[in-house]
Amino acid sequence: MTQPRIPLAGVIGSPIAHSRSPLLHGHWLRTYGIRGHYIPMDVHENDLERVLRTLPAMGFVGVNVTVPHKEKVMAFADQITDRAILIGAANTLIFRNAGSILADNTDGYGFIENLRSGAPDWRAESGPALVLGAGGAARAVISSLVDAGVPEVVLSNRTRLRAERLKADFGHRIRVVDWVQAGSAVKDAALVVNTTSLGMSGQPALSVPLDGLHPGMVVTDLVYTPLETGLLAAARKAGCTTVDGLGMLLFQAVPGFERWFGTRPEIDEATRAAALK
Ligand code: NAP
């Protein structure tokens, strides 16, 4: 009698040693008693296609994709979800019959679910969202905010051209302001989101003036090392509701785990603790 295959999944990036995804998925596999494995894989760009074509035959049911391959993997997908097309990048691949690849992007889903979970009183329609940064993560954040019904996204990035490109892709609800003007947009925002890498351990601090922060606002940071960034500390002191970035990492992992291993995982304190080990 043939035995069922043990499902394998993992994360592809380079470097990959810092990734918290193996801790997270490993925790869920143990919690739900699933006989599967989730493996970090450091893959060079030149080997990406060959690796992706080989993994299904080895028993892989899918992989997460992280920096620097999120855009490049799109070229090897047989099918791409609408949200991944809009964002222009994929972070979750599902291997289907005979190795065909479905590419999805769950970062926007992870962002909005984390926001709703950490700030349950936040309403998309309550006012403009100020988004700092216009890199890959900002594309996912903006697509989810526009989808949720935010009336206006005020977008500010050091390199203005990158923000203008995002506006061209996401439409009229985006208003671009110069990076030096970002501070003056804070006071009118219902939501402030840092999608830059500023404030991360080892990176410069976020230089945007924050005196416009006030109670009633929601402030969230995609950076989660440290968990309380300078932005979140200032927001907490100003009486804002704050949401840290670790939850986004946890929530974005849920759809992949469910597709690969057949169980929708819960996010609780034990999940957070596992990802922080
Ligand atoms: P990216 O595409 O490289 O974009 C980096 C962004 O940071 C750009 O807007 C860049 O501005 C800005 N930036 C970098 N250095 C700056 C400086 N010195 N002054 C002003 N702006 C600066 O990176 P990404 O993929 O979007 O990721 C951004 C951050 O989000 C990272 O810290 C990443 O770890 C985090 N992230 C977290 C999650 C999560 O699950 N919590 C998910 C995805 C990403 P320019 O365009 O001017 O260079």
Side-chain angles (χ1 to χ4, degrees):
M1 211 174 77
T2 51
Q3 301 240 330
R5 262 184 158 178
I6 293 175
L8 305 176
V11 55
I12 292 182
S14 191
I16 202 63
H18 66 285
S19 173
R20 292 177 188 273
S21 295
L23 293 170
L24 174 60
H25 287 268
H27 165 75
W28 282 334
L29 287 168
R30 283 191 302 279
T31 301
Y32 298 108
I34 297 168
R35 286 188 73 212
H37 296 279
Y38 185 99
I39 298 153
M41 291 172 275
D42 192 332
V43 176
H44 189 273
E45 180 185 340
N46 297 343
D47 299 321
L48 195 54
E49 180 169 14
R50 197 156 41 96
V51 167
L52 290 175
R53 301 281 172 226
T54 309
L55 287 175
M58 294 167 63
F60 278 78
V61 287
V63 287
N64 286 126
V65 182
T66 188
V67 179
H69 300 320
K70 284 185 176 186
E71 286 88 17
K72 283 176 214 104
V73 290
M74 303 275 277
F76 310 124
D78 301 287
Q79 204 187 337
I80 304 175
T81 62
D82 289 346
R83 58 188 180 178
I85 290 173
L86 192 62
I87 294 165
N91 72 339
T92 305
L93 304 182
I94 293 131
F95 301 148
R96 300 190 300 185
N97 320 336
S100 97
I101 298 174
L102 169 67
D104 192 10
N105 192 313
T106 64
D107 277 337
Y109 165 85
F111 169 76
I112 211 85
E113 289 299 306
N114 183 41
L115 184 62
R116 291 194 195 285
S117 152
D121 293 334
W122 175 78
R123 296 286 172 275
E125 54 282 2
S126 61
L130 172 62
V131 175
L132 305 171
R139 296 185 78 85
V141 165
I142 289 174
S143 80
S144 69
L145 288 174
V146 168
D147 233 33
V150 165
E152 184 182 49
V153 174
V154 181
L155 176 60
S156 191
N157 192 49
R158 175 180 62 176
T159 311
R160 186 177 169 118
L161 181 65
R162 238 177 149 186
E164 296 287 0
R165 272 198 216 118
L166 248 146
K167 178 180 166 63
D169 289 348
F170 289 96
H172 65 280
R173 270 194 274 165
I174 317 292
R175 178 162 62 89
V176 175
V177 299
D178 277 336
W179 187 236
V180 288
Q181 298 297 324
S184 50
V186 170
K187 68 175 189 320
D188 296 324
L191 170 71
V192 176
V193 188
N194 176 41
T195 78
T196 75
S197 45
L198 296 174
M200 188 193 283
S201 313
Q203 295 287 321
L206 181 72
S207 50
V208 171
L210 297 171
D211 30 309
L213 291 173
H214 57 78
M217 296 170 77
V218 177
V219 179
T220 184
D221 202 325
L222 266 56
V223 171
Y224 56 83
T225 46
L227 265 184
E228 187 176 72
T229 59
L231 169 64
L232 293 183
R236 182 173 49 78
K237 283 182 196 132
C240 309
T241 302
T242 60
V243 182
D244 72 50
L246 181 66
M248 175 174 169
L249 177 82
L250 309 183
F251 279 101
Q252 64 77 34
V254 168
F257 188 91
E258 184 177 22
R259 290 294 290 267
W260 303 325
F261 299 115
T263 298
R264 190 165 184 85
E266 285 290 321
I267 290 174
D268 51 15
E269 273 313 309
T271 316
R272 278 177 72 86
L276 285 172
K277 265 185 196 152

